[in-house]
């Protein structure tokens, strides 16, 4: 994220003798809003807001819209038309305009713009099928990958990372935040701790802190990783990370790449893309994300959540394990195929559809 710019506040004159409001430019108001958000939002959220509005701020500057109280509904309509003409996806435009509306609501609250201006922002409706990324690590692929690691690379970093990601459904940031002391083999659980002052924040802050139980076989994998494959290193704060590189705690990008490489399908079967392992360009860690069949931590998380629900774990329990709301889980993560939904979730009730036994009601 770019550094916060310094600026002078110009006090505009008023004609009615009322309170004066600073004549901030759109960029100055934007930086002020982001600064306020940093006190209550995760860095990743603030960064997302920054990039979603970056083009709008630049557009205002190109259109010589200064100060921000010169902004009109016509300007907002013109900007939306400009973005549509670039070919932006509908879901991305929806997010950008939704963030713009939040920003203008803040500006209206502190009287930088007309109080009715936020209502002029109208994010487009997005069809349900376009609201989520349907790419996920499917259960059959997860099972095949974990079976491979059980026999050929037991306790490797890839094995431990994929096991925890799949059987917990944790976010990338949560996996990266783990220290050795956050794992308890005897009692079979992980502890997620929010440490933003030491570069390991959780997405939901203190609300993201939780203990999550682990199956015994997953603990066996993690135990083997710690004993045989973990680099015995510290991070810059003197903490012992669970997942390490040779120099300490892996960066977010490093953990992401580790997951891409852990989920190559050629680990357990012939390459579905006709590549040979000794010549495949995706094997290089800088190209791993380009393999069409490798999966990111988020896509593993999505597959894990769907699988946990298919296994009959109550949705409220899954929501607590993966640290999200039931509503968010249903909308963005729960993605069973129609066959999965039948076989795993509804088949158990089919046997009740019988006139015999005690299941019927007397009329």
């Amino acid at each position: 994220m770019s550094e916060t710019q310094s600026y002078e506040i110009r006090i505009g004159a008023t004609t009615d003798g009322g309170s004066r409001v600073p004549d901030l430019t759109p960029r100055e108001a934007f930086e002020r809003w982001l600064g306020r958000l940093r006190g209550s939002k995760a860095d990743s959220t603030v960064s997302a807001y920054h990039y979603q509005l970056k083009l709008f701020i630049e557009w205002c500057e190109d259109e010589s819209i200064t100060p921000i109280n010169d902004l009109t509904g016509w300007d907002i309509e013109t900007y939306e038309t400009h973005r549509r003409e670039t070919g932006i996806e509908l879901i991305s435009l929806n997010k950008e305009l939704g963030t713009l509306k939040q920003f203008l609501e803040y500006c209206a609250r502190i009287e930088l713009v007309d109080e009715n201006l936020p209502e002029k922002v109208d994010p487009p409706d997005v069809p349900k099928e376009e609201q989520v990324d349907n790419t996920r690590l499917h259960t059959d692929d997860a099972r095949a990958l974990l079976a491979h690691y059980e026999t050929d690379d037991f306790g490797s970093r890839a094995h431990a990372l994929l096991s925890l990601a799949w059987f917990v459904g944790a976010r990338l940031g949560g996996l990266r935040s783990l220290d050795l002391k956050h794992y308890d083999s005897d009692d079979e659980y992980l502890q997620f701790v929010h440490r933003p002052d030491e570069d390991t924040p959780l997405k939901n802050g203190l609300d993201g802190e939780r203990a999550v139980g682990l199956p015994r076989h997953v603990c066996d994998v993690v135990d083997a990783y710690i004993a045989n494959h973990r680099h015995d290193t510290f991070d810059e704060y003197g903490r012992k990370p669970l997942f390490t590189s040779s120099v300490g705690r892996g960066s977010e990008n490093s953990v992401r790449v580790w997951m891409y490489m852990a989920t190559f399908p050629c680990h357990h079967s012939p390459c579905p893309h006709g590549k040979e392992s000794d010549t495949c360009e995706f094997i290089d860690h800088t190209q791993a994300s380009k393999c069409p069949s490798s999966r990111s931590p988020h896509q593993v998380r999505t597959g894990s959540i769907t699988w946990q629900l298919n296994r009959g774990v109550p949705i409220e329990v899954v929501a607590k394990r993966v640290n999200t709301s039931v509503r968010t889980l249903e909308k963005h993560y729960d993605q069973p195929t129609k066959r999965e939904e039948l076989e795993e979730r509804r088949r158990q009730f089919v046997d009740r559809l019988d006139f015999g036994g005690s299941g019927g009601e007397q009329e």
Side-chain angles (χ1 to χ4, degrees), residues 94-349:
N94 173 276
K95 291 179 179 179
E96 284 189 12
L97 294 183
T99 302
L100 175 59
K101 189 167 188 174
Q102 291 183 57
F103 168 55
L104 292 180
E105 286 172 347
Y106 162 78
C107 292
R109 182 170 58 79
I110 61 175
E111 302 179 358
L112 289 177
V113 299
D114 184 272
E115 63 180 1
N116 295 316
L117 186 62
E119 299 305 315
K120 307 296 176 60
V121 183
D122 185 22
D125 293 331
V126 181
K128 184 176 180 180
E129 61 271 16
E130 295 183 24
Q131 292 180 15
V132 296
D133 178 3
N134 290 318
T135 305
R136 60 181 165 105
L137 180 63
H138 288 273
T139 300
D140 288 346
D141 294 323
R143 183 183 293 113
L145 284 164
L146 292 170
H148 154 74
Y149 288 120
E150 286 284 333
T151 58
D152 293 337
D153 206 6
F154 187 83
S156 64
R157 183 177 63 193
H159 190 191
L161 182 66
L162 179 59
S163 293
L164 289 184
W166 183 258
F167 287 98
V168 174
R171 297 181 178 90
L172 182 158
L175 294 167
R176 178 179 176 272
S177 75
L178 292 169
D179 290 346
L180 269 179
K181 67 179 183 180
H182 296 151
Y183 166 65
D184 190 314
S185 177
D186 293 336
D187 289 334
E188 302 175 357
Y189 76 93
L190 283 175
Q191 185 80 29
F192 291 95
V193 181
H194 179 56
R195 299 287 290 274
D197 54 329
E198 296 185 355
D199 194 34
T200 54
L202 298 179
K203 178 177 174 60
N204 290 329
L206 293 176
D207 289 338
E209 294 193 340
R210 65 201 187 280
V212 180
L214 301 172
R216 181 64 250 171
H217 65 87
V218 173
C219 292
D220 292 340
V221 172
V222 178
D223 289 345
Y225 159 68
I226 293 171
N228 303 314
H229 297 283
R230 178 187 171 274
H231 294 281
D232 190 16
T233 57
F234 297 81
D235 67 10
E236 60 184 295
Y237 300 99
R239 293 161 55 192
K240 287 189 170 185
L242 178 58
F243 291 110
T244 58
S245 68
S246 59
V247 295
R249 190 183 305 274
S251 65
E252 284 197 359
N253 187 60
S254 293
V255 177
R256 186 179 292 109
V257 170
W258 295 343
M259 188 65 76
Y260 277 124
M261 299 185 76
T263 55
F264 284 149
C266 54
H267 287 315
H268 60 80
S269 59
C271 176
H273 312 293
K275 303 282 187 179
E276 297 293 336
S277 59
D278 55 348
T279 59
C280 178
E281 65 272 26
F282 303 139
I283 295 298
D284 186 279
H285 73 277
T286 63
Q287 303 296 314
S289 65
K290 297 180 181 179
C291 172
S293 296
S294 66
R295 294 292 178 258
S296 69
H298 178 75
Q299 292 163 348
V300 175
R301 170 179 165 86
T302 302
S304 167
I305 290 172
T306 301
W307 172 73
Q308 290 184 57
L309 292 169
N310 284 345
R311 297 296 294 168
V313 182
I315 192 169
E316 296 82 6
V317 174
V318 175
K320 289 181 179 179
R321 285 179 63 84
V322 305
N323 189 228
T324 193
S325 67
V326 170
R327 179 180 178 183
T328 299
L329 191 156
E330 290 176 330
K331 180 177 181 181
H332 295 288
Y333 292 101
D334 185 16
Q335 301 173 15
T337 64
K338 294 188 182 300
R339 181 61 180 270
E340 285 176 330
E341 190 171 26
L342 169 65
E343 293 297 335
E344 302 287 353
R345 304 190 188 180
R346 302 201 308 268
R347 180 70 72 186
Q348 60 179 309
F349 301 110

Side-chain angles (χ1 to χ4, degrees), residues 5 7 10 22-34 53-72 75 100 103-104 106-107 110 112-113 117:
Q5 299 185 9
Y7 53 83
R10 300 175 297 280
D23 286 340
L24 301 187
T25 67
R27 184 173 296 278
E28 290 166 349
F30 178 49
E31 295 291 353
R32 186 182 181 95
W33 181 57
L34 291 181
L53 283 193
K54 178 176 179 286
L55 294 178
F56 174 74
I57 300 302
E58 292 175 353
W59 180 85
C60 286
E61 293 171 342
D62 290 342
E63 297 296 316
S64 300
I65 298 176
T66 54
I68 195 171
N69 61 15
D70 286 346
L71 195 64
T72 66
D75 293 322
L100 175 59
F103 168 55
L104 292 180
Y106 162 78
C107 292
I110 61 175
L112 289 177
V113 299
L117 186 62

